[in-house]
Amino acid sequence: MIQTTDTIRRVTTADASKLDDLLNSAVEGLIPRAITLNHGIRVTRIGTGNYTTETTADVPCGYTIYEHQ
């Protein structure tokens, strides 16, 4: 499941086989907003099957970084 705000998408799933597709969809959906804001995208693993993707000025425009919390 993907929950969306203007600049943040939360991805949660118990099905590991769907995780990559959900994360890719979340990131792709944020790209237009990130470009408008001149931001990059951060993907953060919060827990098993629980991620956030967000636009952020801390990441250079055109880049996506992945981190664990």
Side-chain angles (χ1 to χ4, degrees):
M1 173 174 60
I2 299 175
Q3 297 173 327
T4 305
T5 66
D6 189 38
T7 59
I8 299 174
R9 291 177 180 218
R10 186 176 191 104
V11 175
T12 54
T13 184
D15 187 348
S17 67
K18 295 182 180 180
L19 183 58
D20 282 342
D21 289 338
L22 289 170
L23 286 173
N24 287 336
S25 292
V27 169
E28 287 175 16
L30 287 175
I31 289 172
R33 185 68 177 147
I35 290 170
T36 299
L37 296 172
N38 200 34
H39 287 179
I41 297 174
R42 175 182 291 124
V43 178
T44 305
R45 180 179 186 262
I46 298 169
T48 304
N50 193 6
Y51 293 78
T52 59
T53 60
E54 63 184 321
T55 64
T56 178
D58 297 342
V59 177
C61 186
Y63 287 87
T64 301
I65 64 164
Y66 297 84
E67 62 185 28
H68 297 260
Q69 191 174 34

